[in-house]
Amino acid sequence: MNLLIIDDPHKDRADAESEASRRALHEWHSSTALKRLQPDRNAIVRIQTRWHPGDWAGRRLADEGQIEGGGKRRVSHLPAIADPKFGRTCSAVSTASRCRTRKSRPGTRCSCGPGGRT
């Protein structure tokens, strides 16, 4: 296998906060998933919400590091609420999943300057 895509390895915050669940996920990753990849050419795409510092992504980053620091992992942050540094209008809500609207995310705040753009 050359490509492994893992989407939401933790089902929710409680799962990510469970040490037993985190341990089981790490064991699956180490003993099963990595062994199925071709050693010379492979890629792993990991998509998840960060729930806990020691969650699956946190463990991978602690063990393997980010490319910018000489490690193996490239991290892309895709916030649900727009961040102007990604070129989206301030306060725009990502609607790619489940057609969310700003009203469905009470308590969200805009970090942009006046006028809604930087």
Side-chain angles (χ1 to χ4, degrees):
M1 172 175 19
N2 288 1
L3 176 64
L4 176 62
I5 300 174
I6 301 172
D7 184 20
D8 287 330
H10 298 287
K11 64 181 179 179
D12 55 25
R13 179 179 298 277
D15 184 54
E17 290 179 349
S18 163
E19 185 174 340
S21 179
R22 292 193 313 267
R23 187 178 326 108
L25 183 57
H26 174 69
E27 289 172 5
W28 168 82
H29 179 261
S30 301
S31 66
T32 304
L34 293 181
K35 303 237 185 298
R36 295 181 182 187
L37 292 170
Q38 293 182 1
D40 57 339
R41 290 180 22 189
N42 65 64
I44 302 172
V45 177
R46 300 171 176 119
I47 305 161
Q48 78 170 84
T49 299
R50 293 297 312 272
W51 294 108
H52 185 276
D55 64 14
W56 193 60
R59 175 81 182 256
R60 301 283 65 76
L61 290 171
D63 289 353
E64 301 163 2
Q66 286 186 292
I67 288 176
E68 298 83 0
K72 295 171 57 177
R73 301 292 158 221
R74 176 175 296 131
V75 176
S76 297
H77 297 277
L78 303 173
I81 302 298
D83 186 327
K85 70 182 175 188
F86 292 110
R88 291 176 20 208
T89 302
C90 185
S91 299
V93 176
S94 173
T95 58
S97 177
R98 297 189 193 104
C99 298
R100 297 180 193 128
T101 65
R102 188 145 180 84
K103 288 180 182 178
S104 70
R105 293 184 177 274
T108 55
R109 294 190 184 119
C110 176
S111 60
C112 299
R117 289 190 172 269
T118 58

PDB file of all heavy atoms in Angstrom, residues 11-27:
ATOM      1  N   LYS A  11     -13.135   9.299  18.133  1.00  0.00           N
ATOM      2  CA  LYS A  11     -14.529   9.594  17.777  1.00  0.00           C
ATOM      3  C   LYS A  11     -15.063  10.855  18.439  1.00  0.00           C
ATOM      4  O   LYS A  11     -15.967  11.490  17.927  1.00  0.00           O
ATOM      5  CB  LYS A  11     -15.437   8.409  18.076  1.00  0.00           C
ATOM      6  CG  LYS A  11     -15.531   8.056  19.540  1.00  0.00           C
ATOM      7  CD  LYS A  11     -16.424   6.864  19.755  1.00  0.00           C
ATOM      8  CE  LYS A  11     -16.492   6.522  21.224  1.00  0.00           C
ATOM      9  NZ  LYS A  11     -17.358   5.409  21.485  1.00  0.00           N
ATOM     10  N   ASP A  12     -14.507  11.228  19.606  1.00  0.00           N
ATOM     11  CA  ASP A  12     -14.957  12.433  20.297  1.00  0.00           C
ATOM     12  C   ASP A  12     -13.942  12.786  21.386  1.00  0.00           C
ATOM     13  O   ASP A  12     -12.925  12.117  21.553  1.00  0.00           O
ATOM     14  CB  ASP A  12     -16.355  12.247  20.887  1.00  0.00           C
ATOM     15  CG  ASP A  12     -16.479  11.039  21.807  1.00  0.00           C
ATOM     16  OD1 ASP A  12     -15.457  10.596  22.394  1.00  0.00           O
ATOM     17  OD2 ASP A  12     -17.604  10.537  21.960  1.00  0.00           O
ATOM     18  N   ARG A  13     -14.217  13.858  22.120  1.00  0.00           N
ATOM     19  CA  ARG A  13     -13.299  14.313  23.158  1.00  0.00           C
ATOM     20  C   ARG A  13     -13.070  13.246  24.229  1.00  0.00           C
ATOM     21  O   ARG A  13     -11.950  13.007  24.660  1.00  0.00           O
ATOM     22  CB  ARG A  13     -13.814  15.598  23.819  1.00  0.00           C
ATOM     23  CG  ARG A  13     -12.893  16.113  24.930  1.00  0.00           C
ATOM     24  CD  ARG A  13     -13.384  17.397  25.564  1.00  0.00           C
ATOM     25  NE  ARG A  13     -13.445  18.482  24.624  1.00  0.00           N
ATOM     26  CZ  ARG A  13     -12.404  19.242  24.277  1.00  0.00           C
ATOM     27  NH1 ARG A  13     -11.226  19.010  24.799  1.00  0.00           N
ATOM     28  NH2 ARG A  13     -12.543  20.232  23.417  1.00  0.00           N
ATOM     29  N   ALA A  14     -14.124  12.583  24.647  1.00  0.00           N
ATOM     30  CA  ALA A  14     -13.989  11.560  25.692  1.00  0.00           C
ATOM     31  C   ALA A  14     -13.054  10.446  25.239  1.00  0.00           C
ATOM     32  O   ALA A  14     -12.225   9.961  26.019  1.00  0.00           O
ATOM     33  CB  ALA A  14     -15.359  10.995  26.055  1.00  0.00           C
ATOM     34  N   ASP A  15     -13.169  10.051  23.995  1.00  0.00           N
ATOM     35  CA  ASP A  15     -12.289   9.017  23.457  1.00  0.00           C
ATOM     36  C   ASP A  15     -10.835   9.498  23.455  1.00  0.00           C
ATOM     37  O   ASP A  15      -9.928   8.759  23.832  1.00  0.00           O
ATOM     38  CB  ASP A  15     -12.742   8.665  22.036  1.00  0.00           C
ATOM     39  CG  ASP A  15     -11.959   7.528  21.429  1.00  0.00           C
ATOM     40  OD1 ASP A  15     -11.885   6.452  22.063  1.00  0.00           O
ATOM     41  OD2 ASP A  15     -11.421   7.706  20.322  1.00  0.00           O
ATOM     42  N   ALA A  16     -10.614  10.744  23.049  1.00  0.00           N
ATOM     43  CA  ALA A  16      -9.256  11.288  23.011  1.00  0.00           C
ATOM     44  C   ALA A  16      -8.680  11.480  24.410  1.00  0.00           C
ATOM     45  O   ALA A  16      -7.460  11.407  24.598  1.00  0.00           O
ATOM     46  CB  ALA A  16      -9.252  12.620  22.261  1.00  0.00           C
ATOM     47  N   GLU A  17      -9.517  11.730  25.384  1.00  0.00           N
ATOM     48  CA  GLU A  17      -9.033  11.922  26.758  1.00  0.00           C
ATOM     49  C   GLU A  17      -8.801  10.610  27.489  1.00  0.00           C
ATOM     50  O   GLU A  17      -8.167  10.584  28.537  1.00  0.00           O
ATOM     51  CB  GLU A  17     -10.007  12.804  27.528  1.00  0.00           C
ATOM     52  CG  GLU A  17      -9.976  14.244  27.029  1.00  0.00           C
ATOM     53  CD  GLU A  17     -10.948  15.155  27.742  1.00  0.00           C
ATOM     54  OE1 GLU A  17     -11.824  14.659  28.492  1.00  0.00           O
ATOM     55  OE2 GLU A  17     -10.840  16.374  27.539  1.00  0.00           O
ATOM     56  N   SER A  18      -9.264   9.510  26.933  1.00  0.00           N
ATOM     57  CA  SER A  18      -9.090   8.204  27.540  1.00  0.00           C
ATOM     58  C   SER A  18      -7.681   7.680  27.249  1.00  0.00           C
ATOM     59  O   SER A  18      -7.312   7.447  26.098  1.00  0.00           O
ATOM     60  CB  SER A  18     -10.116   7.218  26.980  1.00  0.00           C
ATOM     61  OG  SER A  18      -9.726   5.892  27.250  1.00  0.00           O
ATOM     62  N   GLU A  19      -6.906   7.492  28.305  1.00  0.00           N
ATOM     63  CA  GLU A  19      -5.539   6.989  28.121  1.00  0.00           C
ATOM     64  C   GLU A  19      -5.552   5.606  27.471  1.00  0.00           C
ATOM     65  O   GLU A  19      -4.731   5.307  26.598  1.00  0.00           O
ATOM     66  CB  GLU A  19      -4.797   6.937  29.447  1.00  0.00           C
ATOM     67  CG  GLU A  19      -3.348   6.546  29.286  1.00  0.00           C
ATOM     68  CD  GLU A  19      -2.567   6.623  30.578  1.00  0.00           C
ATOM     69  OE1 GLU A  19      -2.992   7.297  31.516  1.00  0.00           O
ATOM     70  OE2 GLU A  19      -1.503   5.971  30.621  1.00  0.00           O
ATOM     71  N   ALA A  20      -6.496   4.766  27.864  1.00  0.00           N
ATOM     72  CA  ALA A  20      -6.590   3.418  27.284  1.00  0.00           C
ATOM     73  C   ALA A  20      -6.889   3.491  25.786  1.00  0.00           C
ATOM     74  O   ALA A  20      -6.307   2.743  24.989  1.00  0.00           O
ATOM     75  CB  ALA A  20      -7.674   2.608  27.996  1.00  0.00           C
ATOM     76  N   SER A  21      -7.772   4.398  25.392  1.00  0.00           N
ATOM     77  CA  SER A  21      -8.108   4.548  23.983  1.00  0.00           C
ATOM     78  C   SER A  21      -6.910   5.077  23.195  1.00  0.00           C
ATOM     79  O   SER A  21      -6.627   4.599  22.090  1.00  0.00           O
ATOM     80  CB  SER A  21      -9.298   5.493  23.833  1.00  0.00           C
ATOM     81  OG  SER A  21      -9.610   5.670  22.481  1.00  0.00           O
ATOM     82  N   ARG A  22      -6.217   6.063  23.748  1.00  0.00           N
ATOM     83  CA  ARG A  22      -5.033   6.597  23.073  1.00  0.00           C
ATOM     84  C   ARG A  22      -3.969   5.520  22.910  1.00  0.00           C
ATOM     85  O   ARG A  22      -3.332   5.404  21.865  1.00  0.00           O
ATOM     86  CB  ARG A  22      -4.472   7.802  23.827  1.00  0.00           C
ATOM     87  CG  ARG A  22      -5.364   9.026  23.782  1.00  0.00           C
ATOM     88  CD  ARG A  22      -4.654  10.286  24.255  1.00  0.00           C
ATOM     89  NE  ARG A  22      -3.916  10.143  25.489  1.00  0.00           N
ATOM     90  CZ  ARG A  22      -4.389  10.408  26.704  1.00  0.00           C
ATOM     91  NH1 ARG A  22      -5.637  10.823  26.844  1.00  0.00           N
ATOM     92  NH2 ARG A  22      -3.630  10.268  27.767  1.00  0.00           N
ATOM     93  N   ARG A  23      -3.781   4.719  23.930  1.00  0.00           N
ATOM     94  CA  ARG A  23      -2.789   3.641  23.880  1.00  0.00           C
ATOM     95  C   ARG A  23      -3.158   2.609  22.810  1.00  0.00           C
ATOM     96  O   ARG A  23      -2.317   2.179  22.023  1.00  0.00           O
ATOM     97  CB  ARG A  23      -2.642   2.961  25.240  1.00  0.00           C
ATOM     98  CG  ARG A  23      -1.508   1.959  25.305  1.00  0.00           C
ATOM     99  CD  ARG A  23      -1.323   1.299  26.662  1.00  0.00           C
ATOM    100  NE  ARG A  23      -1.615   2.132  27.811  1.00  0.00           N
ATOM    101  CZ  ARG A  23      -2.696   1.995  28.601  1.00  0.00           C
ATOM    102  NH1 ARG A  23      -3.577   1.034  28.383  1.00  0.00           N
ATOM    103  NH2 ARG A  23      -2.882   2.793  29.626  1.00  0.00           N
ATOM    104  N   ALA A  24      -4.441   2.218  22.769  1.00  0.00           N
ATOM    105  CA  ALA A  24      -4.898   1.238  21.780  1.00  0.00           C
ATOM    106  C   ALA A  24      -4.713   1.764  20.353  1.00  0.00           C
ATOM    107  O   ALA A  24      -4.292   1.019  19.456  1.00  0.00           O
ATOM    108  CB  ALA A  24      -6.363   0.883  22.021  1.00  0.00           C
ATOM    109  N   LEU A  25      -5.005   3.040  20.142  1.00  0.00           N
ATOM    110  CA  LEU A  25      -4.834   3.638  18.823  1.00  0.00           C
ATOM    111  C   LEU A  25      -3.362   3.648  18.426  1.00  0.00           C
ATOM    112  O   LEU A  25      -2.993   3.313  17.302  1.00  0.00           O
ATOM    113  CB  LEU A  25      -5.411   5.049  18.803  1.00  0.00           C
ATOM    114  CG  LEU A  25      -5.380   5.790  17.477  1.00  0.00           C
ATOM    115  CD1 LEU A  25      -6.108   5.007  16.391  1.00  0.00           C
ATOM    116  CD2 LEU A  25      -5.998   7.166  17.650  1.00  0.00           C
ATOM    117  N   HIS A  26      -2.490   4.002  19.359  1.00  0.00           N
ATOM    118  CA  HIS A  26      -1.048   4.005  19.081  1.00  0.00           C
ATOM    119  C   HIS A  26      -0.563   2.591  18.741  1.00  0.00           C
ATOM    120  O   HIS A  26       0.219   2.395  17.813  1.00  0.00           O
ATOM    121  CB  HIS A  26      -0.269   4.558  20.272  1.00  0.00           C
ATOM    122  CG  HIS A  26       1.208   4.437  20.093  1.00  0.00           C
ATOM    123  ND1 HIS A  26       1.908   5.175  19.175  1.00  0.00           N
ATOM    124  CD2 HIS A  26       2.108   3.629  20.699  1.00  0.00           C
ATOM    125  CE1 HIS A  26       3.182   4.831  19.221  1.00  0.00           C
ATOM    126  NE2 HIS A  26       3.336   3.898  20.143  1.00  0.00           N
ATOM    127  N   GLU A  27      -1.048   1.607  19.470  1.00  0.00           N
ATOM    128  CA  GLU A  27      -0.648   0.221  19.207  1.00  0.00           C
ATOM    129  C   GLU A  27      -1.121  -0.235  17.833  1.00  0.00           C
ATOM    130  O   GLU A  27      -0.376  -0.900  17.101  1.00  0.00           O
ATOM    131  CB  GLU A  27      -1.161  -0.700  20.308  1.00  0.00           C
ATOM    132  CG  GLU A  27      -0.422  -0.496  21.619  1.00  0.00           C
ATOM    133  CD  GLU A  27      -1.032  -1.257  22.789  1.00  0.00           C
ATOM    134  OE1 GLU A  27      -1.985  -2.038  22.585  1.00  0.00           O
ATOM    135  OE2 GLU A  27      -0.563  -1.038  23.908  1.00  0.00           O
TER     136      GLU A  27
END
